Amino acid sequence: MEAYCIIVGYRPEVAQLLDLCARVAGDGVKVIVVDNSEVPTLDRALLPAGCTLITIGYNSGIAHAQNAGVKAALAAGAGVLVFFDQDSKIEPGFVKLLIAAIREGSAEIVSPLSVDEATNTPLPSVRVSRFGWSTPVHAADAAGRYPVDMVISSGTAATRQVFEIAGTFDEGLFIDFVDAEWCLRCRSLQIPIYVVPSLVMRHSVGLRHFRFGTLTISVHSPVRCYYQIRNSFLLFRKPHIPVIFALKQLAATVVSRTILLFFVEDRLSYLKSYLFAVRDGLKGGTGARPA
């Protein structure tokens, strides 16, 4: 299977991104880097052999940037598409093993175990019951790949048939819940998702974290919090997303962002973002946050 890897960068740490590109290319996989920064930060000449660069020229959102890479990869004849964020960390040989875990010719998604780089804690995948209740799953000791319903996109591999059946990522969400919406759309179409426990990827989530009782709160900018809150309302408008799942996500988002409000300095900026997010979420606003 011809494999292409799509890496989206937004104001990336260039050396780290180039290292990721080199590791992927070293596994014999072609790389498409999508620079989503307002001011382009990458030079095509710096990329390793086998890598191409798509420069968007503005922050179009993770979904649009991923879709640009998907379109280019499918046009080039990709049979398998692999996705990474700019700060994902993998060992040599990771991509080759990930692709080997996927069945050729079928609509299928595979994902590694993910670990938060900052806290060294698992980033569980999720199973969703028939009624919509979500349960985190992190079976590091499983003998083989196991089925789940939702994974983060970074580190995943999907066959060409997945996109032919389910379509691409929802650009209206811009950034947050893009992974969840796409996975649950695939679930509704009986496209299986598996975690391969023998593969581990390290990934950074949020600017930093802090503990509040039994909760781990991720710190994000006011703009990012806007998308988290707004999009938790938009989930209710997706027919393939169970209402109970959407309710749980909305409650978790409101609780965590409310707690965060008491631990940041520029509370007014955060509060304004929260209020705009609720307004736009209830109205069904999509895409980039209005200026």
Side-chain angles (χ1 to χ4, degrees), residues 79-164:
V80 175
L81 291 79
V82 182
F83 296 87
F84 287 113
D85 290 344
Q86 63 192 33
D87 53 7
S88 298
K89 294 184 178 180
I90 59 172
E91 297 297 325
F94 176 96
V95 179
K96 189 177 296 184
L97 292 172
L98 183 70
I99 294 170
I102 204 165
R103 290 186 300 179
E104 184 175 358
S106 62
E108 189 172 280
I109 301 166
V110 297
S111 174
L113 287 174
S114 295
V115 175
D116 185 0
E117 176 73 11
T119 63
N120 203 36
T121 56
L123 297 172
S125 301
V126 173
R127 288 199 182 107
V128 181
S129 74
R130 58 180 295 193
F131 301 107
W133 187 257
S134 58
T135 304
V137 181
H138 189 87
D141 56 351
R145 66 180 199 170
Y146 56 88
V148 297
D149 295 304
M150 199 169 72
V151 293
I152 62 172
S153 64
S154 185
T156 60
T159 59
R160 180 186 193 94
Q161 290 82 358
V162 171
F163 294 95
E164 292 173 345

Side-chain angles (χ1 to χ4, degrees), residues 43-70:
D43 186 338
R44 192 183 304 272
L46 295 175
L47 297 177
C51 299
T52 59
L53 175 65
I54 298 174
T55 301
I56 302 294
Y58 65 99
N59 182 10
S60 66
I62 184 69
H64 177 269
Q66 286 176 321
N67 287 343
V70 169

